[in-house]
Amino acid sequence: MAVTRLTQPECEALLAELPAWRLREDGLAIERTLRFADFNTAFGFMTRVAIEAEKSDHHPEWFNVYNRVEITLTTHDADGLSARDGKLARFIETAAAAASAG
């Protein structure tokens, strides 16, 4: 199944819905940095996201150091943002809130 890239208005609506996320400079991805109480909490969060990512077959690009997790979402098949990124970003927001991320 082909994955379609979001239009500019769709990208703007997505960012309005997800104010903690920012559009990457090239406009092809969204990014967010989260901080947790400690490494265990950050790793638990990453585990929850990894399980969801595997279920949806859409995986984040991420980097973790101690309590910090940096996440980039893009859809390579669409050469930019797609609805898959929005869906995973919404899940990430829910998981981050449950883990009391800031």
Side-chain angles (χ1 to χ4, degrees):
M1 175 169 48
V3 180
T4 58
R5 187 172 170 172
L6 296 179
T7 64
Q8 184 65 30
E10 290 170 329
C11 287
E12 291 169 5
L14 179 63
L15 288 169
E17 178 188 344
L18 300 166
W21 292 79
R22 67 184 178 281
L23 190 62
R24 193 170 66 191
E25 192 173 301
D26 65 7
L28 300 176
I30 53 175
E31 302 173 318
R32 173 137 163 53
T33 298
L34 298 119
R35 293 193 185 275
F36 298 87
D38 53 32
F39 177 76
N40 286 336
T41 307
F43 196 83
F45 160 80
M46 291 177 72
T47 301
R48 284 190 69 200
V49 173
I51 291 168
E52 180 63 25
E54 195 63 19
K55 284 181 193 175
S56 63
D57 193 29
H58 188 61
H59 304 87
E61 298 173 17
W62 54 13
F63 178 76
N64 165 244
V65 174
Y66 183 59
N67 68 336
R68 188 180 80 238
V69 179
E70 298 172 11
I71 304 171
T72 300
L73 298 178
T74 190
T75 302
H76 299 288
D77 292 343
D79 291 323
L81 290 168
S82 77
R84 290 180 174 187
D85 300 302
K87 182 177 179 185
L88 188 55
R90 288 180 201 94
F91 180 86
I92 288 168
E93 288 303 301
T94 300
S100 299

